Amino acid sequence: MDDAHDHADLDRHVRAALLVFGSLLVLTGFTVTAYFLHLPTRLAITLALLIAVVKGSLVAGWFMHLISEKRIIYWVLALTAALFFPLLLVPTFTALGKVALP
Amino acid sequence: MEIPYTVAVRPDTGLNNGKIGIWLFLASEVMLFGALFASYVMLRVGAESWPPGATYLSIPLAAFNTVVLISSSVTMVLAWASAVRRDFGRFRLFMGITILCGLVFLVVKYFEYTAKFHHGYFPSTNTFLAIYFTLTGLHGLHVVGGMAVNSWLWGPGARMWKVDPVHFTNRVENAGLFWHLVDLVWIFLFPVLYLL
């Protein structure tokens, strides 16, 4: 890529980062507003985690450049996710009595 | 002996070694915090009652700190972009703001912690406070670590800028990836501990 192309790419990246920044601020506002609405517990937990997942995806995708990363990074993260979710869910399901201990 | 592929891209991975190294480290960090989040869920699900975060914690202070960390993430991106553009002055400005934001976050956390100690709330008080101090304490240590690296790149480490700007920019990118992970973890800690 030539320099002009590189700089155009970088400008686009910076503009996207600023847009993501604005979105993160708005979503933080939503999170706090949702808290003060005193929603039922299940709905409050679902909504708060949903907003957190969207915010986290924005940070990972644009600030950490995962939206356009090399394949090996995706493999590293796929392996991490494959280990992370059992780590999170197995103890939880055990505590809820949905997984029987031998 | 020179370390290979610190700047040049490895043909097999398509990345320099620093980049793949930081991502492997971040993967281990995800597992570390993942284990603690799993502990939180287990403790909460197993508890007879669980206090709302606001019983002990200040939501306005935590919301303020969320905005501070999000802002520091965007200034980190701007610092990296300035380094790519070879604009050292702007790099220093944005990296300086990033470090300052980290400092503001820690100062707010200090006031939060001391207020709790003042009221007699310690990790040993109850399970909620135990997991609160563990999670936020570990996160705070990561903020300190990120600030140390960023300060090195802002100060003495910036000497590399003159001799090898590409390598220096790669280091800024890697430091940024760690800083964004710290932000990412807080994005989940805020609702989980303070709001639910």
Side-chain angles (χ1 to χ4, degrees):
Chain A
M1 269 196 302
D2 56 53
D3 263 11
H5 199 166
D6 272 349
H7 278 276
D9 268 357
L10 194 62
D11 288 342
R12 262 197 302 276
H13 186 85
V14 168
R15 271 199 301 275
L18 292 173
L19 203 64
V20 166
F21 172 57
S23 310
L24 290 171
L25 291 181
V26 171
L27 287 167
T28 302
F30 284 169
T31 307
V32 177
T33 308
Y35 168 76
F36 286 109
L37 291 176
H38 300 293
L39 299 168
T41 309
R42 270 171 196 268
L43 183 61
I45 290 175
T46 309
L47 192 61
L49 290 182
L50 195 68
I51 296 173
V53 167
V54 173
K55 286 169 75 179
S57 306
L58 287 173
V59 170
W62 276 271
F63 287 174
M64 299 173 90
H65 317 150
L66 278 182
I67 198 89
S68 56
E69 199 40 276
K70 292 281 184 289
R71 188 176 292 175
I72 191 166
I73 301 292
Y74 295 138
W75 280 113
V76 168
L77 291 177
L79 180 64
T80 310
L83 296 167
F84 174 81
F85 286 107
L87 176 76
L88 195 68
L89 297 177
V90 169
T92 308
F93 286 157
T94 308
L96 289 170
K98 298 198 174 178
V99 176
L101 291 172
Chain B
M1 195 181 78
E2 201 171 307
I3 301 171
Y5 302 113
T6 53
V7 175
V9 165
R10 269 181 74 119
D12 51 355
T13 62
L15 297 164
N16 62 65
N17 280 349
K19 184 87 172 270
I20 193 85
I22 190 73
W23 272 109
L24 287 171
F25 175 63
L26 295 187
S28 76
E29 290 284 86
V30 169
M31 297 310 288
L32 171 66
F33 279 102
L36 285 169
F37 272 110
S39 307
Y40 166 86
V41 174
M42 224 176 131
L43 290 169
R44 182 164 182 166
V45 168
E48 282 182 13
S49 65
W50 194 261
T55 312
Y56 298 104
L57 312 174
S58 164
I59 291 168
L61 276 184
F64 173 75
N65 254 355
T66 305
V67 172
V68 168
L69 266 197
I70 290 170
S71 305
S72 77
S73 256
V74 80
T75 54
M76 189 80 205
V77 172
L78 295 174
W80 166 76
S82 303
V84 174
R85 288 191 179 111
R86 304 287 176 263
D87 186 342
F88 188 65
R90 282 173 73 85
F91 158 74
R92 266 226 157 125
L93 171 72
F94 287 122
M95 187 58 108
I97 297 172
T98 307
I99 296 163
L100 269 179
C101 285
L103 193 64
V104 170
F105 180 90
L106 289 177
V107 168
V108 170
K109 214 81 211 113
Y110 166 79
F111 282 116
E112 271 195 274
Y113 273 25
T114 48
K116 270 159 221 37
F117 296 150
H118 215 73
H119 287 102
Y121 299 145
F122 296 97
S124 57
T125 306
N126 60 32
T127 311
F128 172 80
L129 286 169
I131 195 78
Y132 163 78
F133 279 112
T134 306
L135 278 165
T136 57
L138 185 69
H139 178 264
L141 284 176
H142 279 74
V143 174
V144 172
M147 280 176 66
V149 174
N150 291 345
S151 300
W152 170 259
L153 292 170
W154 186 87
R159 278 192 298 252
M160 183 185 259
W161 175 268
K162 287 184 183 157
V163 288
D164 194 350
V166 179
H167 193 180
F168 180 76
T169 304
N170 289 347
R171 285 186 172 182
V172 172
E173 184 181 7
N174 294 340
L177 287 170
F178 176 77
W179 192 254
H180 298 314
L181 183 88
V182 171
D183 182 20
L184 193 60
V185 170
W186 182 257
I187 281 173
F188 284 92
L189 284 181
F190 173 50
V192 164
L193 291 175
Y194 290 78
L195 304 179
L196 298 180

